Amino acid sequence: MKPVLVVIAHGSRDPRHAATVHALVQQVRSLRPGLRVETGFLDFNVPSVQGVLESLAAEGVRDVVALPLLLTRAFHAKADIPAVLADAPARLRIRQADVLGPSPLLLAALERRLYEAGLSPADKSSTGVVLASAGSTDPEAIAVIAEIAREWRHTGWCAVRPAFASASLPRTQDAVRELRAAGCARVAVAPYVLAPGFLPDRIARGAAQADVLADVLGPAPEVARVLLERYDAARAPMLTAIGA
């Protein structure tokens, strides 16, 4: 039996968050029909991660890959999720997969969203992009966002600036002003977030003076492919251990 993939989402009081997570998980199922995929939430939504794991154990499931639905390795990936998994039923063999980012596929998803919002590849050289993330107090996570912005700039955009909705600076509106001052003919904001909610709404408000605001990554097919890549990388040593 293949290990069950348990996608661990943060959860939100905003109903759009859970709806988007479920749409992404359905995209994963459509890409790999033989794989069992379950969804658990850390907070606000049901089912909880603990509830999902207990149900799987009660069914007789043995092997699980727990995949954090996160773009960077910050507090949730380093502390919250390991703590929840440590309390899982003892019969389960659980391997925590890596977070989704960084990945070239996520950059492709960001560009998909920008093109869906009205840009075209011909606009790249004259367009400055704000890579707007939720923000974190974790220096590692902030450094990763900055590095993604640097790498993305080299694919042909006029300029790319990181911005953060919380915890770190600059804010989205400040990055928009910086790109205007740098002489970019147009400015686009690309939310580097997976689902709608409080902080993505703050990003949208900060994009008021931009020319283009892309949608969240959501159930983009590239994002679903990243989930499967992380699952496959995590399950490989599990299959070796059980001789599959």
Side-chain angles (χ1 to χ4, degrees):
M1 294 290 291
K2 297 177 182 177
V4 174
L5 171 57
V6 175
V7 175
I8 301 178
H10 183 274
S12 171
R13 292 186 179 90
D14 189 323
R16 297 174 298 167
H17 174 89
T20 302
V21 170
H22 290 309
L24 174 58
V25 169
Q26 189 56 43
Q27 182 79 267
V28 173
R29 292 187 181 114
S30 71
L31 290 176
R32 194 167 298 180
L35 175 62
R36 181 175 178 181
V37 188
E38 301 292 342
T39 307
F41 296 90
L42 291 173
D43 208 350
F44 302 116
N45 302 105
V46 292
S48 67
V49 178
Q50 189 67 24
V52 169
L53 295 175
E54 289 174 357
S55 294
L56 291 174
E59 289 179 32
V61 170
R62 188 67 187 274
D63 295 299
V64 171
V65 170
L67 195 157
L69 198 60
L70 301 168
L71 294 171
T72 58
R73 271 184 48 79
F75 181 79
H76 292 305
K78 295 177 179 179
D80 281 355
I81 292 175
V84 171
L85 298 181
D87 287 336
R91 68 164 285 112
L92 292 177
R93 292 184 296 215
I94 303 175
R95 187 170 182 88
Q96 182 175 330
D98 288 338
V99 297
L100 303 186
S103 167
L105 285 169
L106 294 178
L107 286 182
L110 286 166
E111 295 206 358
R112 169 191 290 274
R113 294 303 188 223
L114 286 170
Y115 298 151
E116 290 171 350
L119 294 179
S120 73
D123 296 321
K124 292 183 74 167
S125 62
S126 59
T127 301
V129 179
V130 178
L131 179 67
S133 74
S136 174
T137 57
D138 188 305
E140 178 187 350
I142 298 304
V144 167
I145 298 299
E147 179 60 25
I148 292 171
R150 283 191 291 270
E151 290 183 7
W152 203 15
R153 163 68 180 83
H154 295 313
T155 66
W157 296 101
C158 174
V160 180
R161 297 281 192 276
F164 307 93
S166 68
S168 308
L169 295 174
R171 296 287 184 257
T172 302
Q173 57 268 30
D174 299 325
V176 170
R177 285 193 289 268
E178 287 178 17
L179 291 172
R180 293 274 189 224
C184 297
R186 68 179 61 78
V187 176
V189 173
Y192 191 59
V193 293
L194 288 166
F198 177 76
L199 293 178
D201 284 349
R202 182 179 288 177
I203 290 171
R205 291 193 297 272
Q209 300 305 313
D211 301 293
V212 173
L213 171 62
D215 199 358
V216 299
L217 294 172
E222 296 88 352
V223 179
R225 288 167 57 195
V226 176
L227 265 70
L228 289 172
E229 284 187 354
R230 299 293 182 259
Y231 169 79
D232 288 337
R235 74 188 280 258
M238 298 177 73
L239 296 179
T240 300
I242 63 178

